[in-house]
Amino acid sequence: MIRYALACEKGHEFEGWFAGSDDFDNQLQRGFLSCPICNSLQVSKTLMAPSVSTARRKEERQTLAMDAARKEALAKIREAVATIRASAEDVGDKFAEEARQIHYGEADERGIIGNASVQEAKALLEEGIDIAPLPLLPDDVN
């Protein structure tokens, strides 16, 4: 999609979104474009500054989207996840097998973390084995 700054013959300015420049030309030729203020069909593109995305703008949008209470809650969740990870043994892809062994007394009881498929997680829960996923937080996803 492309955004154009538009104006009618009377100087009313407005914006329009188009699939591309050909789409704009096609709609203009067919009489589908009109001024939303005066309904004039004499519409043309005007100069507009390009919209450049920068890291600072992205950060500003994220800052606006996340108020202080949400930031504090996210920090607490991040801290809890870090505590769990630090005090648990990472058993990797053997999570389901190891969780069963602990549950049935075949291995020492301890905190573990690892990977399990959705099917493995459902099977563990159906067996009465308490498990919980650790959330992926914004900084964890790249």
Side-chain angles (χ1 to χ4, degrees), residues 116-132:
S117 69
V118 172
Q119 293 82 11
E120 289 173 323
K122 285 181 180 180
L124 290 170
L125 292 169
E126 288 170 1
E127 289 178 51
I129 301 171
D130 292 330
I131 62 167

Side-chain angles (χ1 to χ4, degrees), residues 69-80:
R70 286 188 176 95
K71 283 184 182 180
E72 185 178 333
L74 184 60
K76 287 180 181 179
I77 292 169
R78 192 179 312 285
E79 183 181 330

Side-chain angles (χ1 to χ4, degrees), residues 24-39:
F24 169 80
D25 294 337
N26 185 24
Q27 288 189 41
L28 186 63
Q29 286 176 348
R30 295 175 72 187
F32 291 163
L33 292 180
S34 64
C35 174
I37 299 165
C38 67
N39 291 323

